[in-house]
Structure formats: C-alpha cells, structure tokens
Short mmCIF file of all heavy atoms in Angstrom, two decimals:
data_model
loop_
_atom_site.label_atom_id
_atom_site.label_comp_id
_atom_site.label_asym_id
_atom_site.label_seq_id
_atom_site.Cartn_x
_atom_site.Cartn_y
_atom_site.Cartn_z
N THR A 188 -5.72 -6.84 -4.85
CA THR A 188 -4.78 -5.65 -4.75
C THR A 188 -4.63 -5.01 -6.10
O THR A 188 -4.77 -5.65 -7.17
CB THR A 188 -3.45 -6.11 -4.23
OG1 THR A 188 -2.84 -7.09 -5.07
CG2 THR A 188 -3.59 -6.77 -2.81
N ASN A 189 -4.28 -3.74 -5.92
CA ASN A 189 -3.86 -2.98 -7.14
C ASN A 189 -2.62 -2.16 -6.83
O ASN A 189 -2.46 -1.66 -5.73
CB ASN A 189 -4.99 -2.05 -7.64
CG ASN A 189 -6.10 -2.86 -8.35
OD1 ASN A 189 -5.76 -3.62 -9.20
ND2 ASN A 189 -7.26 -2.52 -7.96
N TYR A 190 -1.79 -1.92 -7.79
CA TYR A 190 -0.54 -1.08 -7.54
C TYR A 190 -0.31 -0.18 -8.56
O TYR A 190 -0.68 -0.35 -9.72
CB TYR A 190 0.75 -2.12 -7.49
CG TYR A 190 0.80 -2.94 -6.39
CD1 TYR A 190 0.31 -4.31 -6.45
CD2 TYR A 190 1.50 -2.67 -5.22
CE1 TYR A 190 0.31 -5.10 -5.43
CE2 TYR A 190 1.40 -3.49 -4.17
CZ TYR A 190 0.91 -4.77 -4.29
OH TYR A 190 1.03 -5.61 -3.21
N ALA A 191 0.33 0.94 -8.27
CA ALA A 191 0.77 1.95 -9.28
C ALA A 191 1.82 1.16 -10.11
O ALA A 191 2.60 0.41 -9.60
CB ALA A 191 1.43 3.07 -8.60
N ASP A 192 1.68 1.39 -11.51
CA ASP A 192 2.53 0.52 -12.37
C ASP A 192 4.03 0.66 -12.08
O ASP A 192 4.85 -0.31 -12.09
CB ASP A 192 2.30 0.98 -13.78
CG ASP A 192 1.01 0.44 -14.34
OD1 ASP A 192 0.42 -0.51 -13.72
OD2 ASP A 192 0.58 0.98 -15.35
N SER A 193 4.42 1.93 -11.75
CA SER A 193 5.84 2.15 -11.52
C SER A 193 6.46 1.58 -10.12
O SER A 193 7.60 1.49 -9.99
CB SER A 193 6.13 3.73 -11.48
OG SER A 193 5.38 4.27 -10.46
N LEU A 194 5.61 1.22 -9.28
CA LEU A 194 5.88 0.68 -8.03
C LEU A 194 5.70 -0.78 -7.82
O LEU A 194 6.30 -1.43 -6.90
CB LEU A 194 5.12 1.45 -6.89
CG LEU A 194 5.12 2.84 -6.80
CD1 LEU A 194 4.38 3.49 -5.66
CD2 LEU A 194 6.64 3.35 -6.59
N LYS A 195 5.05 -1.45 -8.79
CA LYS A 195 4.78 -2.94 -8.65
C LYS A 195 6.10 -3.49 -8.74
O LYS A 195 6.94 -3.36 -9.62
CB LYS A 195 3.83 -3.33 -9.88
CG LYS A 195 3.35 -4.73 -9.63
CD LYS A 195 2.34 -5.07 -10.72
CE LYS A 195 1.85 -6.49 -10.66
NZ LYS A 195 1.07 -6.65 -9.39
N GLY A 196 6.33 -4.44 -7.75
CA GLY A 196 7.64 -5.22 -7.72
C GLY A 196 8.45 -4.82 -6.63
O GLY A 196 9.35 -5.59 -6.07
N ARG A 197 8.42 -3.52 -6.27
CA ARG A 197 9.11 -3.04 -5.04
C ARG A 197 8.28 -2.76 -3.77
O ARG A 197 8.75 -3.03 -2.73
CB ARG A 197 9.75 -1.55 -5.39
CG ARG A 197 10.75 -1.65 -6.53
CD ARG A 197 11.58 -0.36 -6.42
NE ARG A 197 10.68 0.76 -6.85
CZ ARG A 197 10.59 1.86 -5.96
NH1 ARG A 197 11.27 1.94 -4.90
NH2 ARG A 197 9.89 2.90 -6.48
N PHE A 198 7.05 -2.48 -3.96
CA PHE A 198 6.08 -2.14 -2.84
C PHE A 198 5.07 -3.32 -2.74
O PHE A 198 4.64 -3.86 -3.79
CB PHE A 198 5.28 -0.87 -3.02
CG PHE A 198 6.23 0.34 -2.77
CD1 PHE A 198 7.58 0.26 -2.76
CD2 PHE A 198 5.70 1.56 -2.58
CE1 PHE A 198 8.35 1.41 -2.62
CE2 PHE A 198 6.29 2.73 -2.40
CZ PHE A 198 7.67 2.62 -2.49
N THR A 199 4.74 -3.71 -1.54
CA THR A 199 3.75 -4.79 -1.31
C THR A 199 2.70 -4.34 -0.18
O THR A 199 3.07 -3.96 0.83
CB THR A 199 4.36 -6.05 -0.91
OG1 THR A 199 5.33 -6.45 -1.73
CG2 THR A 199 3.34 -7.16 -0.66
N ILE A 200 1.41 -4.30 -0.57
CA ILE A 200 0.49 -3.98 0.39
C ILE A 200 -0.20 -5.30 0.93
O ILE A 200 -0.37 -6.26 0.24
CB ILE A 200 -0.60 -3.10 -0.29
CG1 ILE A 200 -1.69 -2.57 0.81
CG2 ILE A 200 -1.43 -3.86 -1.30
CD1 ILE A 200 -2.63 -1.47 0.25
N SER A 201 -0.50 -5.28 2.24
CA SER A 201 -1.03 -6.38 2.89
C SER A 201 -1.83 -5.87 4.08
O SER A 201 -1.80 -4.69 4.56
CB SER A 201 0.02 -7.41 3.39
OG SER A 201 0.86 -6.80 4.25
N LYS A 202 -2.69 -6.86 4.66
CA LYS A 202 -3.47 -6.44 5.87
C LYS A 202 -3.47 -7.60 6.79
O LYS A 202 -3.42 -8.80 6.27
CB LYS A 202 -4.82 -5.96 5.50
CG LYS A 202 -5.67 -6.98 4.70
CD LYS A 202 -7.01 -6.40 4.33
CE LYS A 202 -7.88 -7.30 3.51
NZ LYS A 202 -8.29 -8.45 4.33
N ASP A 203 -3.68 -7.38 7.98
CA ASP A 203 -3.99 -8.41 9.01
C ASP A 203 -5.28 -7.96 9.64
O ASP A 203 -5.42 -7.14 10.46
CB ASP A 203 -2.87 -8.34 10.10
CG ASP A 203 -2.97 -9.49 11.13
OD1 ASP A 203 -4.05 -9.94 11.34
OD2 ASP A 203 -1.96 -9.86 11.67
N SER A 204 -6.34 -8.72 9.15
CA SER A 204 -7.66 -8.46 9.59
C SER A 204 -7.83 -8.61 11.15
O SER A 204 -8.61 -7.84 11.75
CB SER A 204 -8.68 -9.31 8.95
OG SER A 204 -8.61 -8.97 7.47
N ALA A 205 -7.23 -9.62 11.77
CA ALA A 205 -7.38 -9.81 13.14
C ALA A 205 -6.81 -8.71 13.97
O ALA A 205 -7.25 -8.47 15.01
CB ALA A 205 -6.64 -11.12 13.52
N LYS A 206 -5.83 -8.03 13.47
CA LYS A 206 -5.22 -6.78 14.12
C LYS A 206 -5.72 -5.49 13.63
O LYS A 206 -5.33 -4.50 14.11
CB LYS A 206 -3.71 -6.85 13.99
CG LYS A 206 -3.00 -8.08 14.65
CD LYS A 206 -1.51 -7.94 14.46
CE LYS A 206 -0.80 -9.06 15.20
NZ LYS A 206 0.66 -9.09 15.03
N ASN A 207 -6.71 -5.61 12.64
CA ASN A 207 -7.17 -4.33 12.05
C ASN A 207 -6.06 -3.46 11.57
O ASN A 207 -6.12 -2.20 11.83
CB ASN A 207 -8.12 -3.54 13.13
CG ASN A 207 -9.30 -4.48 13.44
OD1 ASN A 207 -9.42 -4.80 14.63
ND2 ASN A 207 -10.08 -4.81 12.51
N THR A 208 -4.99 -3.95 10.94
CA THR A 208 -3.85 -3.18 10.46
C THR A 208 -3.55 -3.37 9.04
O THR A 208 -3.56 -4.54 8.54
CB THR A 208 -2.68 -3.65 11.46
OG1 THR A 208 -3.04 -3.41 12.77
CG2 THR A 208 -1.44 -2.78 10.97
N LEU A 209 -3.28 -2.37 8.40
CA LEU A 209 -2.78 -2.29 6.99
C LEU A 209 -1.21 -2.02 6.98
O LEU A 209 -0.76 -1.27 7.81
CB LEU A 209 -3.50 -1.12 6.28
CG LEU A 209 -3.11 -0.92 4.80
CD1 LEU A 209 -3.71 -2.00 3.90
CD2 LEU A 209 -3.60 0.55 4.37
N TYR A 210 -0.60 -2.71 5.99
CA TYR A 210 0.82 -2.51 5.81
C TYR A 210 1.28 -2.14 4.59
O TYR A 210 0.62 -2.45 3.57
CB TYR A 210 1.55 -3.85 6.23
CG TYR A 210 1.19 -4.47 7.59
CD1 TYR A 210 0.25 -5.44 7.75
CD2 TYR A 210 1.86 -3.96 8.77
CE1 TYR A 210 -0.02 -5.87 9.06
CE2 TYR A 210 1.53 -4.42 10.02
CZ TYR A 210 0.63 -5.42 10.18
OH TYR A 210 0.37 -5.94 11.41
N LEU A 211 2.37 -1.56 4.42
CA LEU A 211 3.05 -1.30 3.08
C LEU A 211 4.49 -1.60 3.30
O LEU A 211 5.24 -0.92 3.99
CB LEU A 211 2.77 0.18 2.67
CG LEU A 211 3.43 0.50 1.29
CD1 LEU A 211 2.69 -0.19 0.22
CD2 LEU A 211 3.47 1.94 1.07
N GLN A 212 4.97 -2.61 2.66
CA GLN A 212 6.35 -2.99 2.63
C GLN A 212 7.05 -2.40 1.44
O GLN A 212 6.57 -2.60 0.34
CB GLN A 212 6.52 -4.51 2.57
CG GLN A 212 7.99 -4.97 2.55
CD GLN A 212 8.78 -4.74 3.86
OE1 GLN A 212 8.13 -4.95 4.94
NE2 GLN A 212 9.96 -4.20 3.80
N MET A 213 8.03 -1.60 1.73
CA MET A 213 8.67 -0.72 0.74
C MET A 213 10.21 -1.22 0.72
O MET A 213 10.91 -1.09 1.57
CB MET A 213 8.63 0.65 0.93
CG MET A 213 7.22 1.24 1.10
SD MET A 213 7.11 2.96 1.41
CE MET A 213 7.93 3.19 2.86
N ASN A 214 10.59 -1.73 -0.50
CA ASN A 214 11.90 -2.31 -0.68
C ASN A 214 12.54 -1.50 -1.89
O ASN A 214 11.92 -0.85 -2.65
CB ASN A 214 11.89 -3.81 -1.03
CG ASN A 214 11.33 -4.55 0.04
OD1 ASN A 214 11.52 -4.30 1.14
ND2 ASN A 214 10.62 -5.69 -0.33
N SER A 215 13.82 -1.57 -1.87
CA SER A 215 14.59 -0.95 -2.93
C SER A 215 14.27 0.58 -2.98
O SER A 215 14.08 1.12 -4.13
CB SER A 215 14.54 -1.58 -4.26
OG SER A 215 14.97 -2.96 -4.18
N LEU A 216 14.21 1.19 -1.92
CA LEU A 216 13.68 2.58 -1.94
C LEU A 216 14.65 3.61 -2.74
O LEU A 216 15.87 3.40 -2.62
CB LEU A 216 13.52 3.06 -0.52
CG LEU A 216 12.26 2.55 0.24
CD1 LEU A 216 12.41 2.67 1.82
CD2 LEU A 216 11.03 3.24 -0.31
N LYS A 217 14.13 4.49 -3.25
CA LYS A 217 14.86 5.50 -4.08
C LYS A 217 14.47 6.95 -3.57
O LYS A 217 13.34 7.07 -2.99
CB LYS A 217 14.33 5.42 -5.58
CG LYS A 217 14.46 4.06 -6.23
CD LYS A 217 13.92 4.05 -7.63
CE LYS A 217 14.05 2.62 -8.25
NZ LYS A 217 13.42 2.61 -9.56
N PRO A 218 15.32 7.85 -3.74
CA PRO A 218 15.03 9.28 -3.27
C PRO A 218 13.65 9.77 -3.82
O PRO A 218 13.02 10.60 -3.09
CB PRO A 218 16.24 10.15 -3.88
CG PRO A 218 17.33 9.12 -4.00
CD PRO A 218 16.72 7.84 -4.33
N GLU A 219 13.24 9.34 -4.98
CA GLU A 219 11.99 9.91 -5.49
C GLU A 219 10.80 9.23 -4.76
O GLU A 219 9.58 9.78 -4.97
CB GLU A 219 11.74 9.62 -7.03
CG GLU A 219 12.13 8.23 -7.38
CD GLU A 219 13.51 7.96 -7.92
OE1 GLU A 219 14.43 8.51 -7.31
OE2 GLU A 219 13.66 7.28 -8.90
N ASP A 220 10.95 8.26 -3.90
CA ASP A 220 10.04 7.75 -3.03
C ASP A 220 9.75 8.60 -1.83
O ASP A 220 8.71 8.34 -1.05
CB ASP A 220 10.24 6.30 -2.58
CG ASP A 220 10.41 5.30 -3.69
OD1 ASP A 220 9.49 5.41 -4.63
OD2 ASP A 220 11.20 4.54 -3.70
N THR A 221 10.54 9.63 -1.62
CA THR A 221 10.37 10.52 -0.50
C THR A 221 9.07 11.18 -0.49
O THR A 221 8.54 11.66 -1.56
CB THR A 221 11.51 11.55 -0.39
OG1 THR A 221 12.70 10.89 -0.15
CG2 THR A 221 11.24 12.58 0.68
N GLY A 222 8.35 11.28 0.54
CA GLY A 222 7.05 11.96 0.71
C GLY A 222 6.30 11.66 1.91
O GLY A 222 6.71 10.88 2.77
N MET A 223 5.12 12.18 2.09
CA MET A 223 4.24 11.87 3.21
C MET A 223 3.26 10.82 2.69
O MET A 223 2.64 10.88 1.67
CB MET A 223 3.44 13.14 3.59
CG MET A 223 2.60 12.91 4.81
SD MET A 223 3.55 12.76 6.33
CE MET A 223 3.99 14.55 6.61
N TYR A 224 3.22 9.68 3.49
CA TYR A 224 2.50 8.60 3.01
C TYR A 224 1.19 8.54 4.00
O TYR A 224 1.27 8.64 5.20
CB TYR A 224 3.23 7.33 3.18
CG TYR A 224 4.25 7.09 2.17
CD1 TYR A 224 5.33 7.95 1.96
CD2 TYR A 224 4.03 6.08 1.13
CE1 TYR A 224 6.24 7.70 0.88
CE2 TYR A 224 4.96 5.98 0.11
CZ TYR A 224 6.03 6.67 0.01
OH TYR A 224 6.88 6.53 -1.05
N TYR A 225 0.03 8.38 3.33
CA TYR A 225 -1.13 8.30 4.07
C TYR A 225 -1.89 7.02 3.76
O TYR A 225 -1.87 6.46 2.60
CB TYR A 225 -2.13 9.47 3.47
CG TYR A 225 -1.59 10.88 3.69
CD1 TYR A 225 -0.84 11.47 2.74
CD2 TYR A 225 -1.96 11.51 4.86
CE1 TYR A 225 -0.30 12.82 2.98
CE2 TYR A 225 -1.45 12.86 5.05
CZ TYR A 225 -0.75 13.40 4.13
OH TYR A 225 -0.21 14.70 4.32
N CYS A 226 -2.55 6.46 4.77
CA CYS A 226 -3.51 5.36 4.52
C CYS A 226 -4.95 5.98 4.48
O CYS A 226 -5.25 7.00 5.04
CB CYS A 226 -3.37 4.25 5.62
SG CYS A 226 -3.85 4.75 7.22
N ALA A 227 -5.80 5.29 3.69
CA ALA A 227 -7.14 5.73 3.52
C ALA A 227 -8.06 4.51 3.47
O ALA A 227 -7.63 3.32 3.18
CB ALA A 227 -7.30 6.45 2.21
N ALA A 228 -9.27 4.70 3.73
CA ALA A 228 -10.33 3.63 3.72
C ALA A 228 -11.67 4.15 3.27
O ALA A 228 -11.98 5.33 3.57
CB ALA A 228 -10.36 2.95 5.07
N ASP A 229 -12.42 3.16 2.82
CA ASP A 229 -13.90 3.58 2.56
C ASP A 229 -14.59 2.20 2.34
O ASP A 229 -13.91 1.13 2.08
CB ASP A 229 -13.99 4.41 1.34
CG ASP A 229 -15.25 5.26 1.36
OD1 ASP A 229 -16.18 5.00 2.08
OD2 ASP A 229 -15.37 6.37 0.65
N TYR A 230 -15.94 2.19 2.38
CA TYR A 230 -16.68 1.06 2.22
C TYR A 230 -16.79 0.82 0.64
O TYR A 230 -16.86 1.73 -0.12
CB TYR A 230 -17.97 1.17 2.84
CG TYR A 230 -17.88 1.60 4.22
CD1 TYR A 230 -18.43 2.78 4.80
CD2 TYR A 230 -17.41 0.60 5.22
CE1 TYR A 230 -18.25 3.03 6.10
CE2 TYR A 230 -17.29 0.93 6.56
CZ TYR A 230 -17.73 2.08 6.99
OH TYR A 230 -17.59 2.45 8.30
N SER A 231 -16.95 -0.53 0.31
CA SER A 231 -16.99 -0.87 -1.10
C SER A 231 -17.94 -2.05 -1.29
O SER A 231 -17.92 -2.98 -0.40
CB SER A 231 -15.58 -1.22 -1.60
OG SER A 231 -15.62 -1.77 -2.88
N LEU A 232 -18.75 -1.98 -2.31
CA LEU A 232 -19.63 -3.21 -2.59
C LEU A 232 -19.00 -4.06 -3.66
O LEU A 232 -19.63 -5.14 -3.87
CB LEU A 232 -20.96 -2.51 -3.08
CG LEU A 232 -21.75 -1.73 -2.15
CD1 LEU A 232 -22.93 -1.17 -2.84
CD2 LEU A 232 -22.08 -2.53 -0.85
N TRP A 233 -17.84 -3.68 -4.23
CA TRP A 233 -17.37 -4.35 -5.43
C TRP A 233 -15.92 -4.73 -5.16
O TRP A 233 -15.22 -4.14 -4.35
CB TRP A 233 -17.49 -3.62 -6.63
CG TRP A 233 -18.84 -2.97 -6.92
CD1 TRP A 233 -19.24 -1.59 -6.62
CD2 TRP A 233 -19.98 -3.64 -7.38
NE1 TRP A 233 -20.53 -1.48 -6.91
CE2 TRP A 233 -20.97 -2.57 -7.38
CE3 TRP A 233 -20.22 -4.92 -7.77
CZ2 TRP A 233 -22.30 -2.95 -7.78
CZ3 TRP A 233 -21.56 -5.19 -8.11
CH2 TRP A 233 -22.56 -4.24 -8.17
N SER A 234 -15.50 -5.84 -5.82
CA SER A 234 -14.16 -6.23 -5.84
C SER A 234 -13.26 -5.18 -6.64
O SER A 234 -13.75 -4.55 -7.54
CB SER A 234 -13.83 -7.58 -6.48
OG SER A 234 -14.47 -8.58 -5.62
#
C-alpha cells in the first residue's frame, strides 16, 4: 500500500479479493476531506 503523506494514519485502504471489492476506511474526518471520491484500477507488472 501507499498513502498520501497527509492522510496516513487516518485513512486505511484494503481489499477483499474474494468479493472483488476495494475499501477506504476514513476516520477523524475533517471538512477539508470533503470531495468526490473515485476508485480506479489498472494492470501492473510491478509491486
């Protein structure tokens, strides 16, 4: 995993491969976190 430096510690990304589902747990939310959130995917050959 990788995180934006300012969000590390408040947000956690995870996935459930069996359910083909990506998650974003967001804690201690602040007004500046307001926005439209998008998930994205692409194929990768590297870690």
Side-chain angles (χ1 to χ4, degrees):
T188 59
N189 289 310
Y190 293 90
D192 289 341
S193 63
L194 302 178
K195 190 175 180 65
R197 293 196 298 121
F198 288 15
T199 303
I200 190 171
S201 62
K202 61 183 176 68
D203 186 331
S204 297
K206 296 181 178 181
N207 299 119
T208 302
L209 177 73
Y210 301 100
L211 183 68
Q212 179 67 45
M213 304 186 294
N214 298 325
S215 301
L216 284 164
K217 305 174 181 179
E219 52 262 43
D220 295 319
T221 293
M223 186 72 74
Y224 284 70
Y225 299 89
C226 66
D229 209 338
Y230 304 115
S231 176
L232 300 176
W233 312 103
S234 294

